[in-house]
Amino acid sequence: QVRLDESGGGSVQAGGSLRLSCVASGFTFDYYCAGWFRQFPGKEPQGVATISAFGTMQQYVDPVKGRFTISRDNTAKTLTLEMNDLKPEDTAMYYCAVDKGSCRLAPDFEHWGQGIQVTVYS
């Protein structure tokens, strides 16, 4: 059974940092592209960052470039999102997701975690 378990969310003051982690189980993690998505209230999920199966390629949505870093450890089956210089507009529910297909920033990934809340206050 595919499982993606996120952790590391919470509340932080603007300018602060958080690290999100996602532990994968029940499938061969290094066969899959992985990504982080976020969902604002009343909106569809949007791509934040994706990383290819072996970590050689990363993509970021423009508002987070230079502030967020995605990485993965295939041995530990873990996906990480380092978020620095957080802004109130980063407040959202964040989801870890994996897909065997293309590694686009589109929210059409096959498997999703339950999500974790990130709140940035000014």
Side-chain angles (χ1 to χ4, degrees):
Q1 179 182 353
V2 172
R3 284 197 58 166
L4 298 166
D5 295 310
E6 300 105 334
S7 62
S11 296
V12 64
Q13 192 169 19
S17 300
L18 283 174
R19 174 188 286 184
L20 302 184
S21 294
C22 174
V23 177
S25 61
F27 65 103
T28 307
F29 181 60
D30 49 357
Y31 285 2
Y32 287 72
C33 168
W36 289 97
F37 296 80
R38 63 187 179 185
Q39 187 171 23
F40 302 113
K43 303 290 187 181
E44 293 295 312
Q46 60 175 236
V48 175
T50 64
I51 187 167
S52 58
F54 294 103
T56 54
M57 294 181 62
Q58 300 90 41
Q59 296 186 77
Y60 297 91
V61 68
D62 283 347
V64 310
K65 285 180 179 177
R67 300 189 297 122
F68 290 12
T69 302
I70 190 171
S71 62
R72 65 190 294 162
D73 181 339
N74 285 347
T75 300
K77 295 189 173 185
T78 300
L79 178 71
T80 299
L81 185 69
E82 295 273 3
M83 304 187 292
N84 297 313
D85 189 24
L86 282 159
K87 306 176 186 298
E89 52 264 41
D90 293 317
T91 295
M93 185 72 77
Y94 284 72
Y95 296 88
C96 164
V98 296
D99 194 84
K100 262 193 175 179
S102 68
C103 221
R104 305 178 304 152
L105 284 166
D108 55 1
F109 277 37
E110 182 178 2
H111 301 292
W112 292 71
Q114 293 298 306
I116 193 162
Q117 180 67 37
V118 170
T119 301
V120 185
Y121 56 91
S122 55

